[in-house]
Amino acid sequence: MTEVPSPQLRISDQNRESALSALGEHMTAGRIDIDEYGERSARITAAKTRGELGEIFEDLPAPHPKYDGVPQAVAAPEPAAAPAPAPQQRPGSPENWSPPQRFLAAIMPLAWIAAIALIATGVVAWPIIFLPIGLTAVGKSMWGHDWNPNHDRRDRHLRDRDRRRELRDSYRDRRRGLDR
């Protein structure tokens, strides 16, 4: 039998990431709304122990956060299946994002929606729009061009353009030499 870990055991950033991911799935499924997602995600980032994290998911079905390779409950062994081949991951794919990048990716759309809603309702003046613009600029600096799937295509286009310009210039030089 597997020993159940103590709820007083401290959690890691990876555990918080797992919890935020599970919470996002619950919001996508419609079990919680945006406001509740914000409240619970704030509690997740402040949580220090497994017990605190578990309280956040008490009223939600699976998925729940995963804990550093320790099973959450004792379960019957599943039949062995052939391992699936690992999918190819691009350098900028979400699976490779750091915790700050994941957090900003979750907060950025909410900041845009909140700013637009506050401006539309007249609760806050229009300068609030600079908050999501600033978040977007910070995100751009964190991700660079890795997030852009067309970045390689853009580089290839720029190299081709430079090559065409060099050919054009060499052709013009040869024509000038023949004209003299």
Side-chain angles (χ1 to χ4, degrees), residues 165-180:
R165 285 181 177 170
E166 288 172 8
L167 288 171
R168 180 196 65 200
D169 292 343
S170 67
Y171 176 74
R172 285 182 180 167
D173 291 343
R174 275 188 273 146
R175 293 284 297 168
R176 286 185 188 137
L178 292 175
D179 290 343
R180 291 183 189 188

Side-chain angles (χ1 to χ4, degrees), residues 3 23 41 67 122 127 134 139-140 156 162 169 176-177:
E3 184 179 316
L23 193 64
S41 61
Y67 297 106
K140 174 69 173 164
R156 190 172 49 246
D162 291 341
D169 292 343
R176 286 185 188 137

Side-chain angles (χ1 to χ4, degrees), residues 93-107:
S93 65
E95 294 84 16
N96 297 332
W97 289 353
S98 67
Q101 286 175 323
R102 288 176 186 261
F103 179 75
L104 192 59
I107 294 301

